[in-house]
Amino acid sequence: MNFYEIETRYGAGVYAKQQLSIVRGQGASLFDADGNEYLDCSSGHGVANLGHAHPKVAAAIAAQAATLVTLFESFPNDKRAALMQKMAGLVPGLERVFFCNSGTEAVEAALKFARISTGRTNVIAAMRAFHGRTFGSLSATFNKKYRQGFEPLLPGFSHVPYNNIQALENALSAETAAVILEAIQGEGGVYPADVDYLQAARQICDERGALLILDEIQSGFGRTGKMFAFQHFEVTPDLLCCAKSLAGGVPIGAVLIAEKVQNLTPGVHGSTFGGNPLSCAAALAALDVIEAEGLAGQAAEKGAYLVEKLRLIDSPLIREVRGMGLMVGIELKQKVAPYLKALQDHNIITLNAGMTVLRLLPPLVISYEQIDRLVGALEEVLTDES
Ligand SMILES: Cc1ncc(COP(=O)(O)O)c(C=O)c1O
């Protein structure tokens, strides 16, 4: 049996498996067992912002693996303390951090913190939102494709149209613990928030005593051209959910927490693996690389270059090109699946976002030559009339 057959036979069955097995990565490239190269424009769903096998992250992981991999958070540790200090400096006003192991866990923690802090139960999320697949985060996720078969989900959750200030204003009540939003919706179709909308959300939350949770699990750590997407909007959340690329590919989740979030006392929440020295060492190295290589600035410049080139593609299939930095969506007038397959036949790995949006989340280290290669393949695939 090959890897595909083994995984199809023994896996749980919850993933649609590609017939392409990958064994190695380097920068923005992935390689199969025969050494064939693929341009990775998915970054493992937005994880590999630094590219694959970054030598500084690899060295930090190797050194920490030989030193101390696991340590429960009740015992302080050099790497965790250093990462806490580093993260406290990322966003003025968000100086405390809770560590966990994935995006969905970061959202779970933020939802629990909002309830325990406000003493209220209700949560307002946006239509098209994706926040994860465990029960709390799934209750905030909108698409019924993810929810169906798992109801009843948590009570007290509702969804309002994204970028609609009036709908948010109408929905917020004295029972609202939190509003949770993505600054740019990812899975839902790559829709950036309007500046007015996020600023209004901040103001309405303040007026009604609710907390604002921003989910930057996909958009964080340079992806949109700034460290966090919300920094384009001059709005600061009370709880900021992070994961994906924070530790250069090693599993980690984190919630940055504002001073006004209360009642976070010992025992209120916790995680066995959260804050383990291995992922903290990887995250310290990854954050250093993001800063030293100016990856946010690179994402801004390369993203502008990519979008400009994409807008020049003369294809009747394209409805719109939109995005921020290197988080880009190409909305087609028809289903996107055959085009993802055609791109893979051109050795380029891309993603969908819903049925009709082709999503590009390349590593921020992608070169201009590689961007040209991507655009060339897209042009070919989207103008092929056969
Ligand atoms: C915005 C957003 N929130 C939450 C999640 C869930 O993260 P994870 O798959 O690590 O649980 C994702 C994953 O794609 C995401 O894009």
Side-chain angles (χ1 to χ4, degrees):
M1 286 199 284
N2 62 28
F3 303 140
Y4 170 83
E5 289 161 345
I6 294 169
E7 292 199 16
T8 302
R9 165 73 181 79
Y10 296 109
V14 299
Y15 297 97
K17 299 266 176 186
Q18 307 280 338
Q19 296 259 14
L20 169 63
S21 302
I22 299 293
V23 297
R24 190 169 72 80
Q26 187 66 56
S29 294
L30 292 170
F31 299 87
D32 68 13
D34 297 325
N36 297 309
E37 188 260 355
Y38 293 80
L39 179 58
D40 180 11
C41 295
S42 74
S43 299
H45 283 247
V47 172
N49 286 12
L50 282 67
H52 298 282
H54 194 289
K56 292 201 172 133
V57 177
I61 294 170
Q64 192 60 38
T67 305
L68 185 68
V69 169
T70 192
L71 184 73
F72 196 71
E73 268 226 28
S74 41
F75 295 95
N77 168 261
D78 56 341
K79 295 298 184 309
R80 191 192 305 121
L83 182 60
M84 283 181 173
Q85 274 185 318
K86 179 96 194 166
M87 293 196 72
L90 290 181
V91 183
L94 304 186
E95 293 191 347
R96 288 177 294 164
V97 61
F98 174 78
F99 288 124
C100 49
N101 314 288
S102 64
T104 199
E105 282 177 68
V107 172
E108 295 294 329
L111 294 171
K112 286 182 73 178
F113 295 168
R115 281 191 169 175
I116 199 85
S117 178
T118 61
R120 304 174 179 186
T121 51
N122 291 357
V123 174
I124 297 171
M127 291 175 180
R128 291 192 310 242
F130 185 85
H131 295 295
R133 298 166 186 267
T134 52
F135 276 104
S137 64
L138 186 60
S139 305
T141 290
F142 179 69
N143 193 327
K144 67 173 184 309
K145 168 178 114 181
Y146 301 112
R147 299 164 63 96
Q148 240 164 19
F150 301 108
E151 282 107 350
L153 299 177
L154 288 190
F157 282 64
S158 59
H159 294 86
V160 292
Y162 193 62
N163 276 339
N164 182 327
I165 296 173
Q166 193 58 53
L168 193 60
E169 180 115 48
N170 295 345
L172 250 101
S173 75
E175 298 304 313
T176 307
V179 172
I180 180 166
L181 295 170
E182 293 155 274
I184 167 170
Q185 292 188 314
E187 303 292 320
V190 191
Y191 290 97
D194 296 337
V195 176
D196 292 359
Y197 180 66
L198 270 200
Q199 292 182 348
R202 175 70 278 175
Q203 196 185 332
I204 302 166
C205 283
D206 287 344
E207 284 165 8
R208 313 267 169 96
L211 298 177
L212 179 63
I213 304 173
L214 288 183
D215 175 346
E216 293 248 11
I217 287 163
Q218 190 166 141
S219 55
F221 302 104
R223 167 68 53 199
T224 68
K226 291 200 186 278
M227 192 63 162
F228 295 105
F230 72 78
Q231 291 165 332
H232 294 277
F233 301 88
E234 290 171 25
V235 164
T236 304
D238 302 308
L239 293 157
L240 175 64
C241 300
C242 310
K244 290 207 192 270
S245 70
L246 166 55
V250 174
I252 192 169
V255 185
L256 289 177
I257 305 164
E259 196 59 48
K260 76 160 144 184
V261 178
Q262 299 167 9
N263 304 327
L264 301 185
T265 50
V268 153
H269 196 46
S271 161
T272 297
F273 288 129
N276 68 80
L278 185 73
S279 60
C280 290
L284 274 171
L287 289 171
D288 279 351
V289 170
I290 291 171
E291 281 173 10
E293 298 186 11
L295 289 187
Q298 289 199 42
E301 283 168 26
K302 292 172 182 172
Y305 178 83
L306 171 62
V307 166
E308 190 186 316
K309 294 258 164 172
L310 292 176
R311 291 199 170 130
L312 291 175
I313 297 179
D314 184 14
S315 163
L317 295 172
I318 298 178
R319 190 184 299 283
E320 189 183 29
V321 175
R322 58 176 177 258
M324 294 170 80
L326 281 173
M327 185 164 177
V328 174
I330 306 169
E331 183 167 347
L332 302 186
K333 293 178 186 159
Q334 55 199 67
K335 287 190 180 161
V336 78
Y339 302 100
L340 301 187
K341 171 77 181 67
L343 284 165
Q344 200 162 299
D345 293 341
H346 283 71
N347 287 32
I348 296 193
I349 296 173
T350 54
L351 284 171
N352 70 311
M355 300 293 264
T356 58
V357 177
L358 198 156
R359 184 170 32 148
L360 302 173
L361 297 173
L364 311 185
V365 297
I366 189 172
S367 68
Y368 284 93
E369 291 72 29
Q370 287 171 318
I371 293 178
D372 289 343
R373 180 176 148 203
L374 164 66
V375 173
L378 277 163
E379 186 154 23
E380 208 168 303
V381 163
L382 295 175
T383 56
D384 179 5
E385 296 183 2
S386 61

